Amino acid sequence: MDDAHADVESDDDFTPTFSPRTRTVVYVACMVMGVVAYVLTVTTSAIDAPVWLTVACATCTAVPGYVAAAFGVHYDGISIRG
């Protein structure tokens, strides 16, 4: 498995602005916000809520991803390998 990623370049000079703890807290908070927004979107669709409310909830499902990205949170599957 290690040979599969041998050609991947690393950013050795990259220094994150926020600490790992801060990024973890932001990741978890954004994950929760995304799940809540998704559930609200499905719920407002099912109960025939006003269209503006459904659209607002659906829009809010994307916001946590942008917030997490602003804090430097990203998924790096290569770093998980052991």
Side-chain angles (χ1 to χ4, degrees):
M1 186 64 103
D2 291 331
D3 294 336
H5 302 290
D7 60 341
V8 175
E9 296 178 20
S10 66
D11 294 331
D12 294 334
D13 60 340
F14 175 72
T15 305
T17 304
F18 298 97
S19 70
R21 181 181 177 107
T22 301
R23 291 192 313 259
T24 300
V25 168
V26 169
Y27 174 78
V28 171
C30 287
M31 181 184 65
V32 169
M33 286 189 297
V35 169
V36 168
Y38 175 76
V39 169
L40 287 174
T41 301
V42 172
T43 303
T44 56
S45 296
I47 64 171
D48 292 330
V51 174
W52 66 266
L53 184 58
T54 303
V55 170
C57 291
T59 303
C60 289
T61 59
V63 172
Y66 290 113
V67 171
F71 277 86
V73 175
H74 69 282
Y75 173 75
D76 187 2
I78 294 172
S79 67
I80 294 175
R81 66 188 162 141

